[in-house]
Amino acid sequence: MYIRQMSIISFEEIIKFQQETKLEMILSQLDISKIAYSLRKSGYSKGPKGYEVTSMIYALIAMQ
């Protein structure tokens, strides 16, 4: 017989208590749409595929 353990707090309450990190606040204020558009537009056919341009730009910013 299995007894399901009751949760102390719900998932929604956990989300409510979490705060944004400094990096998340900085990245949410940046508008990189023009940069991402120009990089997508370049149309390089060589190299690995599968990386989103905006994610790569955010990673470069976060690295600094």
Side-chain angles (χ1 to χ4, degrees), residues 40-58:
R40 280 191 205 105
K41 187 178 171 184
S42 62
Y44 292 111
S45 61
K46 296 181 181 178
K49 304 286 187 269
Y51 295 107
E52 180 63 32
V53 176
T54 54
S55 300
M56 294 299 287
I57 294 170
Y58 284 151

Side-chain angles (χ1 to χ4, degrees), residues 29-52:
Q29 297 300 316
L30 295 176
D31 181 27
I32 60 166
S33 59
K34 292 180 182 179
I35 299 169
Y37 176 75
S38 64
L39 290 174
R40 280 191 205 105
K41 187 178 171 184
S42 62
Y44 292 111
S45 61
K46 296 181 181 178
K49 304 286 187 269
Y51 295 107
E52 180 63 32

